[in-house]
Amino acid sequence: MINMSEEKKIRISKSLIKLILAAAKDIYPDEFVALLGGRKNLINEIIILPFISSGFGGILKTDVLPIGIKVRGTAHSHPTECLEPSDQDLEVFSRFGDVHIIVAYPFDENSWKCYDRNGKVLEVELVEE
Ligand code: ZN
């Protein structure tokens, strides 16, 4: 029997999380910002927006998105150990998809959390794909 809640659970590529953590560490103490893509319940694509220089707030001003890519969510970093979304984060979350990753200092394998568009913690499954 298929467990429907398991079936609908968002799956995130392990290598994608690793890439976000590495990029965030690299750009620290600046903020790393990216959009997430994927198909169905699998998130395995990252869209890095090099023209955004004003941190996560810059994404709000963006009307130039890559053509043909369905934005599923966002990923960004905090230069602190705080993994909670700020008010500005919540505003961005509500506008760009339904899967939002925050990574925080020190950017190790446990320094990240995933939220839905309302800022509620999202249980996700890490996959090898
Ligand atoms: Zn934030």
Side-chain angles (χ1 to χ4, degrees):
M1 210 177 124
I2 297 165
N3 180 331
M4 287 311 281
S5 64
E6 281 299 316
E7 192 67 11
K8 270 162 63 183
K9 200 172 194 177
I10 293 288
R11 297 152 78 227
I12 299 181
S13 155
K14 234 181 233 178
S15 54
L16 189 76
I17 295 285
K18 273 190 194 159
L19 196 145
I20 294 167
L21 286 165
K25 198 171 188 172
D26 205 45
I27 205 170
Y28 171 83
D30 286 335
E31 223 179 320
F32 172 78
V33 178
L35 298 173
L36 300 174
R39 268 169 299 278
K40 295 188 178 165
N41 64 342
L42 176 67
I43 304 294
N44 64 351
E45 287 171 356
I46 190 160
I47 307 140
I48 294 170
L49 305 172
F51 48 85
I52 290 176
S53 54
S54 51
F56 205 37
I59 221 171
L60 287 171
K61 299 174 197 103
T62 300
D63 45 26
V64 188
L65 288 177
I67 292 164
I69 293 172
K70 175 147 168 51
V71 175
R72 300 291 308 277
T74 66
H76 78 285
S77 68
H78 286 170
T80 64
E81 287 178 46
C82 175
L83 283 168
E84 300 297 315
S86 67
D87 288 347
Q88 188 185 62
D89 291 347
L90 292 173
E91 199 188 329
V92 176
F93 288 4
S94 69
R95 294 173 58 165
F96 292 92
D98 48 17
V99 181
H100 303 278
I101 297 167
I102 294 180
V103 300
Y105 184 85
F107 312 112
D108 63 29
E109 57 183 20
N110 299 313
S111 333
W112 64 279
K113 252 185 188 172
C114 196
Y115 299 91
D116 68 11
R117 62 186 309 122
N118 301 311
K120 221 178 110 227
V121 174
L122 197 62
E123 291 274 347
V124 296
E125 185 189 346
L126 285 185
V127 293
E128 299 290 344
E129 289 171 72

